[in-house]
């Protein structure tokens, strides 16, 4: 009897002290395996008298139960300690960049603006900027659009309630005020483009309240319409990456140019789609003309000495024509699926040698 108690105490303390799963297994084999101590004790039951068995049977079974339970508990404790250690050593640092691939993309409008800057830089133009919050002098008056001029009403202007230095403030309705800001701050000769945001109170499938324009301005001596036509032709051939670009200049009216022309570019129909190039039909792409003497004068220059041409067009529209997008509003929805489809890899930097369309 004391033997069994001693054996139980001994085995249980061994199990308790076992530090590894292997040593727990060794104890199990030693006690409960085929040749195990407890297994041997169980075998003695067969040779006992029924009375003896009645007493010894439950004791030996109790010993086996206790040792089995202790072994299972110890095993579980060791296993969960192992798991804890593994989880601690395998933890991920979420602050590290997970994917080596860049996830963002360049918005088509930004891409097209980069393409335009690249093309015009090659023609000797630099990029000029002006404020989006403008005053009515730069946006209208200096551009030969006096207060009573109907063109003011046509622009659906967003006005601010306050005046600054006696001028009404507004969100610029076009990039043309950058012409004024450049002529009043730089000496001619001037060759600039001015891409940027413009605002008008207008919204449908082809108009959004904010959109993008690009302005071009050349001021020098002896500039004529021929220079304008060559510049636009060279620009549009580079932009659409085709040599068969045909331009059509139509007489038009803008207050800040005289004469004014509207420029159409020829398209052809390929597989039911309009493609720029050829001359099956015409699409209007930009407004332009010779800078009006009043505009040159408003900037403090003598129109007898300095002449120039200007042009302006919608960047969003150019992007739609080049990349086959059909709804202007999608440009500003921020829909990731659209951006992934039409966006450009940040590594596709447009260059004239590599191709501006990347
Ligand atoms: N500012 C005009 C507009 O927003 C576009 C434009 C037309 C710009 C003719 C020009 C130009 O520089 O010469 O509709």
């Amino acid at each position: 009897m004391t033997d069994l108690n001693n054996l139980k105490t001994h085995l249980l303390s061994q199990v308790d002290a076992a530090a590894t799963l292997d040593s727990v297994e060794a104890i199990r084999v030693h006690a409960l395996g085929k040749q195990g101590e407890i297994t041997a004790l169980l075998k003695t039951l067969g040779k006992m008298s029924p009375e003896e068995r009645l007493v010894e049977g439950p004791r030996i079974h109790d010993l086996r139960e206790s040792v089995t339970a202790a072994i299972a508990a110890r095993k579980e404790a060791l296993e969960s300690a192992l798991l804890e250690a593994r989880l601690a050593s395998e933890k991920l640092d979420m602050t590290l960049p997970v994917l080596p691939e860049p996830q963002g993309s360049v918005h088509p409008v930004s891409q097209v603006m980069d393409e335009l800057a690249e093309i015009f830089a090659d023609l000797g133009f630099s990029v000029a900027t002006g404020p989006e919050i403008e005053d009515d002098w730069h946006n209208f008056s200096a551009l030969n659009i006096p207060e009573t001029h109907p063109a003011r009403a046509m622009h659906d202007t967003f006005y601010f309630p306050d005046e600054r230095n006696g001028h009404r403030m507004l969100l610029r309705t076009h990039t043309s005020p950058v012409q004024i800001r450049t002529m009043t701050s730089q000496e001619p000769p001037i060759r600039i483009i001015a891409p940027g945001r413009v605002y008008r109170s207008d919204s449908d499938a082809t108009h959004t309240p904010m959109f993008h324009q690009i302005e071009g301005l050349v001021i020098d001596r002896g500039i004529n319409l021929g220079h304008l036509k060559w510049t636009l032709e060279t620009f549009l051939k580079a932009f659409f990456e085709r040599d068969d670009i045909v331009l059509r200049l139509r007489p038009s009216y803008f207050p800040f140019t005289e004469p004014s022309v509207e420029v159409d570019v020829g398209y052809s129909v390929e597989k039911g789609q309009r493609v720029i190039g050829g001359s099956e039909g015409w699409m209007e792409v930009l407004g332009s003309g010779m800078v009006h003497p009043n505009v040159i004068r408003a900037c403090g220059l003598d129109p007898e000495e300095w002449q120039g041409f200007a042009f302006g067009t919608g960047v969003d529209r150019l992007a739609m024509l080049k990349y086959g997008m059909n709804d202007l509003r999608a440009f500003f929805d921020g829909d990731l699926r659209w951006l992934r489809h039409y966006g450009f890899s940040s590594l596709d930097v447009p260059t004239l040698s590599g191709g501006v369309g990347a």
Side-chain angles (χ1 to χ4, degrees):
M1 161 142 184
T2 41
D3 277 359
L4 275 190
N5 279 343
N6 284 346
L7 182 59
K8 183 171 172 178
T9 320
H10 174 66
L11 284 173
L12 291 184
S13 70
Q14 263 194 328
V15 170
D16 243 8
T20 65
L21 284 172
D22 281 348
S23 48
V24 174
E25 178 61 9
I27 299 167
R28 190 193 66 78
V29 171
H30 172 78
L32 301 161
K34 268 191 193 160
Q35 318 288 329
E37 259 179 299
I38 296 176
T39 316
L41 282 171
L42 284 166
K43 284 181 190 158
T44 61
L45 287 174
K47 296 184 195 113
M48 287 181 192
S49 67
E51 297 77 30
E52 231 181 330
R53 194 180 305 131
L54 216 56
V55 180
E56 291 301 316
R59 294 186 61 225
I60 295 172
H61 279 290
D62 168 65
L63 170 65
R64 189 180 66 167
E65 294 293 293
S66 311
V67 172
T68 306
I71 284 175
R74 186 73 194 138
K75 220 174 130 183
E76 200 183 300
L78 286 172
E79 274 169 353
S80 71
L82 269 183
L83 182 64
E84 286 297 322
R86 211 175 121 193
L87 287 177
S89 72
E90 286 180 3
K91 71 170 183 253
L92 285 178
D93 183 349
M94 302 303 274
T95 62
L96 289 174
V98 188
L99 293 166
E101 299 250 324
Q103 283 292 289
S105 61
V106 177
H107 194 282
V109 169
S110 304
Q111 175 75 10
V112 166
M113 292 217 220
D114 288 349
E115 290 174 20
L116 296 170
E118 185 66 28
I119 293 167
F120 278 104
D122 201 51
L123 298 176
F125 287 64
S126 54
V127 173
T129 55
E132 289 171 30
I133 297 175
E134 258 301 3
D135 57 56
D136 61 355
W137 188 78
H138 287 89
N139 196 82
F140 293 126
S141 310
L143 286 161
N144 199 31
I145 315 174
E147 218 143 300
T148 51
H149 200 287
R152 285 218 187 187
M154 277 159 53
H155 273 214
D156 302 310
T157 312
F158 287 113
Y159 282 100
F160 287 93
D162 308 328
E163 294 195 346
R164 201 188 286 167
N165 304 328
H167 284 295
R168 284 190 84 181
M169 300 305 289
L170 46 84
L171 289 174
R172 68 178 181 193
T173 57
H174 50 175
T175 43
S176 303
V178 185
Q179 290 188 32
I180 307 302
R181 295 208 168 259
T182 309
M183 280 190 270
T184 51
S185 66
Q186 287 179 27
E187 294 286 313
I190 289 169
R191 258 182 281 178
I192 56 114
I193 54 163
R197 296 192 180 109
V198 301
Y199 303 82
R200 287 185 204 179
S201 176
D202 205 353
S203 186
D204 59 37
T206 51
H207 297 91
T208 49
M210 186 282 286
F211 57 104
H212 301 85
Q213 282 190 340
I214 183 165
E215 193 80 11
L217 175 71
V218 169
I219 299 287
D220 207 333
R221 294 187 175 93
I223 298 293
N224 60 48
L225 262 185
H227 296 119
L228 168 64
K229 184 166 188 245
W230 180 87
T231 306
L232 295 180
E233 217 166 62
T234 306
F235 144 55
L236 290 167
K237 278 183 182 167
F239 180 72
F240 287 109
E241 298 177 67
R242 292 179 71 127
D243 279 332
D244 60 347
I245 297 289
V246 189
L247 295 193
R248 190 172 76 169
L249 272 57
R250 275 183 295 112
S252 182
Y253 172 75
F254 299 105
F256 31 87
T257 45
E258 180 58 36
S260 300
V261 287
E262 231 149 356
V263 180
D264 296 338
V265 60
Y267 65 81
S268 38
V269 180
E270 286 174 18
K271 296 187 198 122
Q273 291 264 331
R274 285 181 183 186
V275 181
I276 298 291
S279 55
E280 280 179 51
W282 300 99
M283 239 184 278
E284 187 191 319
V285 286
L286 44 84
S288 64
M290 301 306 294
V291 180
H292 198 292
N294 286 352
V295 176
I296 294 184
R297 212 172 285 124
C299 296
L301 298 172
D302 176 5
E304 295 297 323
E305 184 180 2
W306 301 105
Q307 305 80 43
F309 65 77
F311 57 88
T313 185
V315 176
D316 315 283
R317 189 167 146 72
L318 285 180
M320 288 168 87
L321 286 176
K322 180 164 176 180
Y323 295 109
M325 301 144 171
N326 46 32
D327 190 341
L328 180 67
R329 286 169 297 194
F331 278 67
F332 309 108
D333 281 347
D335 185 328
L336 277 179
R337 292 163 303 177
W338 188 89
L339 288 169
R340 285 200 185 107
H341 184 71
Y342 286 113
F344 293 84
S345 156
S346 48
L347 301 174
D348 293 344
V349 181
T351 60
L352 282 181
S353 55
V356 286

